[in-house]
Amino acid sequence: MPAQYKIVLYSSAGVKQHEFVDFDFLTYTKRLHVPGNLRFRVGANSVAAQYLTDRAQVEVYRRNTAVGLDWYVDYVGLVRDDVLEQDENGRDMVTALRCPGPLHLLEHR
């Protein structure tokens, strides 16, 4: 069984809002001493879409039961860019997000 992922959304104040796994794609990069980057896409009609506000906090949880790893936080980021776009079929609108890591805030000081 491959690794599994879920995304947990928190408000900008840190209150848990929603947990979901119905994203179309998920990619993220973790870096040392510079902001990482998380990008995922969720359908615009998804329940999760209403919680994707600017500066919302995002945690990506990962698990891989084949090697004995239960759920753990693998990435933490902030919602910064919210872009509506059409999917590959040109039918459904989706929300694509860019969520840099917490060190992103230091770039604006």
Side-chain angles (χ1 to χ4, degrees):
M1 172 184 268
Q4 297 173 324
Y5 297 88
K6 68 180 175 181
I7 298 174
V8 179
L9 299 172
Y10 297 87
S11 69
S12 58
V15 177
K16 185 175 180 179
Q17 301 290 313
H18 190 65
E19 182 176 310
F20 66 102
V21 295
D22 64 339
F23 42 85
D24 294 332
F25 75 86
L26 168 71
T27 180
Y28 58 95
T29 305
K30 297 187 295 185
R31 299 180 181 159
L32 186 62
H33 303 304
V34 293
N37 197 32
L38 163 68
R39 196 163 145 66
F40 64 93
R41 188 172 67 186
V42 63
N45 58 353
S46 171
V47 176
Q50 66 182 325
Y51 299 108
L52 298 172
T53 58
D54 188 38
R55 291 186 176 84
Q57 300 171 35
V58 180
E59 290 181 347
V60 176
Y61 284 79
R62 181 177 185 223
R63 82 171 169 191
N64 190 338
T65 54
V67 295
L69 292 175
D70 201 8
W71 290 112
Y72 67 94
V73 177
D74 199 34
Y75 186 86
V76 177
L78 301 170
V79 174
R80 298 298 293 167
D81 294 326
D82 182 357
V83 180
L84 281 175
E85 58 186 33
Q86 285 189 333
D87 70 355
E88 294 81 23
N89 299 325
R91 293 177 303 199
D92 301 322
M93 294 301 287
V94 296
T95 302
L97 294 157
R98 187 180 66 86
C99 304
L103 288 175
H104 164 74
L105 297 174
L106 296 177
E107 292 179 339
H108 299 287
R109 293 184 60 86

